[in-house]
Amino acid sequence: MTTRIIGTGCYAPEHIVTNEDLTQFLDTSDEWIRERTGIHRRHIDTGEGTTAMAVKAAQRAIENANISPQSIDLIIVATSTADEIFPNTAAMVQKSIGNNHCTCYDLNAACSGFIYGLNTAHAFIKSGIVETALIVGSETMSKTVNWEDRSTCILFGDGAGAAVVTKDETGIESIVMGSDGSNGEIISCDGRIMENRWGKRPVKNSHMIMDGQEVFKFAVRKVPEAIKELLEQANIDADQIDHYLLHQANERILSSVAKRLHVSMERFPVNLSEYGNTSAASIPILLDEMNRKNILRRGEKMVLAGFGAGLTWGATLLTW
Ligand code: ACO
């Protein structure tokens, strides 16, 4: 018995900011951004927030799965940009979809969040604790970046993606997850100020700071390593995988991973041009777009893989 994805959904805010729009207030160019990243535009939140986007993606995934919201036993929202400290985003999604009994929590593994959520739900299902779970990745990255820092703000966008999973004979075949906190400072963003009657902890970086080249090096080393481990576990070759759905951070990272695995870039779908990097939402948005375009066929093998702040990484091999 394993875990199968039976429904997907996504949502992105209507407001679009093109590379050209960014040149109005940043010393950058459409050409630089396209060449270095593959990004043309991104959807930016104008006030809806992480929860509202998560709800829309979740509702679409539930409709796509054709299940009753009350049959969901577990909701995990992967986010590092929750609107509120509590209640957790998952509990607010639960309320909006019409479920009043399941386990709800948020999970922060930055851009690896959706994979961490999917693999965690799989562990719950495999152990018999739950049967059906909803995993959502929802992020308002636009509130974490400094819109005057051209080396980071051009990369990110907002959005949400979701998947419903349930107990089945076919589905997830192997999982890999890991973290290395020792190098965590290469991409970080402080939380809110800590201040009480007795003391104060100052905020160092109220916006994201990133050593882009170090993150790049980490991604192109760690992602192929994690995928190789995943394939070895399932005793399957890289060229037997039909689709590699990787976290959408930079097109050059994707092509470098493809090269290291000796797999054609055609098997690496890319939607970065439309959304930029939406952190935990990027993989489920891509998955939903492929699902709705009927690109995915039953029996096809897929690898989903994420990497991000922490540093964290995770991968999932499944049969669709
Ligand atoms: N427009 C124009 N020039 C720019 C811009 C910009 N937006 N940003 C930086 N530059 C300049 C720099 O100032 C530098 O100029 P200099 O040579 O005069 O000093 C030059 O371009 C080259 O800068 P690099 O940082 O070396 O550019 P690089 O080719 O490394 O690309 C990038 C930068 C796109 C950030 C790349 O390093 C990258 O994609 N890294 C991975 C980032 C990533 O994936 N982050 C997210 C993962 S984790 C998560 O998702 C939470």
Side-chain angles (χ1 to χ4, degrees):
M1 198 52 70
T2 186
T3 305
R4 189 161 80 84
I5 297 176
I6 57 164
T8 62
C10 78
Y11 173 78
E14 267 176 33
H15 185 64
I16 285 166
V17 176
T18 64
N19 293 346
E20 208 55 56
D21 293 334
L22 296 177
T23 66
Q24 307 300 309
F25 59 92
L26 279 176
D27 179 14
T28 189
S29 66
D30 178 45
E31 192 192 1
W32 193 96
I33 300 171
R34 280 179 194 240
E35 275 180 10
R36 300 284 177 127
T37 69
I39 299 165
H40 299 184
R41 50 194 218 156
R42 69 285 291 142
H43 295 241
I44 296 292
D45 182 31
T46 54
E48 266 182 304
T50 297
T51 303
M53 293 194 296
V55 167
K56 286 183 178 147
Q59 285 168 334
R60 290 173 185 176
I62 292 165
E63 199 185 320
N64 185 242
N66 198 20
I67 57 154
S68 153
Q70 286 288 35
S71 66
I72 295 169
D73 309 307
L74 169 70
I75 302 176
I76 300 174
V77 175
T79 186
S80 40
T81 54
D83 297 334
E84 335 232 340
I85 291 188
F86 44 78
N88 65 53
T89 316
M92 291 186 281
V93 168
Q94 179 200 33
K95 177 179 167 188
S96 299
I97 62 168
N99 176 302
N100 60 0
H101 61 86
C102 73
T103 307
C104 296
Y105 60 87
D106 291 3
L107 178 161
N108 179 352
C111 307
S112 310
F114 181 77
I115 300 296
Y116 269 50
L118 179 64
N119 291 352
T120 305
H122 173 55
F124 273 101
I125 290 173
K126 228 174 145 45
S127 62
I129 297 171
V130 309
E131 274 197 17
T132 302
L134 168 69
I135 306 111
V136 188
S138 185
E139 301 277 21
T140 316
M141 295 307 289
S142 59
K143 72 181 181 192
T144 68
V145 296
N146 173 357
W147 286 97
E148 286 173 8
D149 175 10
R150 66 177 183 173
S151 66
T152 51
C153 72
I154 55 123
L155 299 169
F156 294 91
D158 302 329
V164 175
V165 296
T166 198
K167 194 169 89 172
D168 205 326
E169 296 297 328
T170 41
I172 293 180
E173 288 173 26
S174 57
I175 64 171
V176 165
M177 285 190 284
S179 311
D180 178 8
S182 67
N183 216 5
E185 72 287 347
I186 66 172
I187 174 164
S188 68
C189 183
D190 263 10
R192 67 172 55 190
I193 195 160
M194 175 270 153
E195 189 170 13
N196 61 26
R197 185 179 276 269
W198 300 276
K200 186 172 174 176
R201 178 186 165 274
V203 169
K204 278 184 293 188
N205 313 302
S206 56
H207 290 113
M208 176 194 303
I209 51 159
M210 180 178 76
D211 183 334
Q213 289 187 3
E214 284 303 312
V215 175
F216 197 99
K217 280 190 244 165
F218 155 71
V220 299
R221 177 180 54 83
K222 194 38 105 177
V223 178
E225 258 176 44
I227 294 176
K228 281 178 187 164
E229 191 184 334
L230 187 78
L231 299 176
E232 266 171 36
Q233 266 184 41
N235 198 18
I236 183 169
D237 292 334
D239 64 4
Q240 290 175 268
I241 302 297
D242 300 288
H243 310 283
Y244 286 88
L245 277 71
L246 264 55
H247 168 49
Q248 304 284 296
N250 184 320
E251 209 166 311
R252 289 188 293 137
I253 293 178
L254 302 181
S255 55
S256 172
V257 172
K259 211 165 160 185
R260 283 171 194 231
L261 291 173
H262 307 290
V263 171
S264 156
M265 190 56 195
E266 280 170 20
R267 297 195 199 181
F268 285 70
V270 188
N271 66 3
L272 262 166
S273 61
E274 176 64 28
Y275 301 103
N277 177 347
T278 56
S279 190
S282 85
I283 294 172
I285 291 176
L286 183 61
L287 181 66
D288 183 51
E289 287 191 335
M290 294 178 75
N291 188 20
R292 282 170 200 268
K293 285 181 192 157
N294 282 322
I295 292 170
L296 307 173
R297 301 268 163 253
R298 277 304 288 272
E300 280 185 335
K301 302 255 183 237
M302 294 165 68
V303 164
L304 315 182
F307 57 91
L311 300 169
T312 56
W313 59 91
T316 312
L317 167 66
L318 58 89
T319 299
W320 186 252

